Amino acid sequence: PSRRTTEMRVTNSSVTVSLQADVAGATIHYTMDGTMPTAKSSPYTGPFNVFLRSGAKRDITAICVLSDGRASTPTELILKR
């Protein structure tokens, strides 16, 4: 499936990631290994820290899931240090 991707180069070893649903009432589910999230993936409960050593990369991919089970297009954030 298609996904919206944003790449970000960071200089700090720790980055705080905050996610926000585009649709009221939707729940966010995400992965941090580049795989496609599902409604069974980790639920987002609030901002979290991502630690990156020099030269490291982390892929965070999230979807919004509605109460009827429909899911949004995945959004991917690629952090590079």
Side-chain angles (χ1 to χ4, degrees):
S2 65
R3 63 175 92 179
R4 297 177 288 187
T5 301
T6 300
E7 288 192 21
M8 180 181 291
R9 183 158 299 279
V10 297
T11 56
N12 295 330
S13 60
S14 176
V15 176
T16 301
V17 176
S18 296
L19 305 175
Q20 183 177 351
D22 290 340
V23 178
T27 57
I28 300 172
H29 295 270
Y30 69 98
T31 60
M32 293 182 55
D33 60 3
T35 60
M36 201 62 67
T38 69
K40 294 183 180 184
S41 299
S42 297
Y44 176 72
T45 58
F48 55 91
N49 289 326
V50 175
F51 298 95
L52 295 165
R53 61 181 189 275
S54 185
K57 176 179 109 166
R58 181 68 64 99
D59 292 358
I60 302 165
T61 306
I63 57 170
C64 292
V65 180
L66 297 172
S67 59
D68 66 5
R70 289 181 296 152
S72 67
T73 298
T75 299
E76 179 182 36
L77 172 63
I78 301 172
L79 298 173
K80 295 180 179 181
R81 179 164 184 241

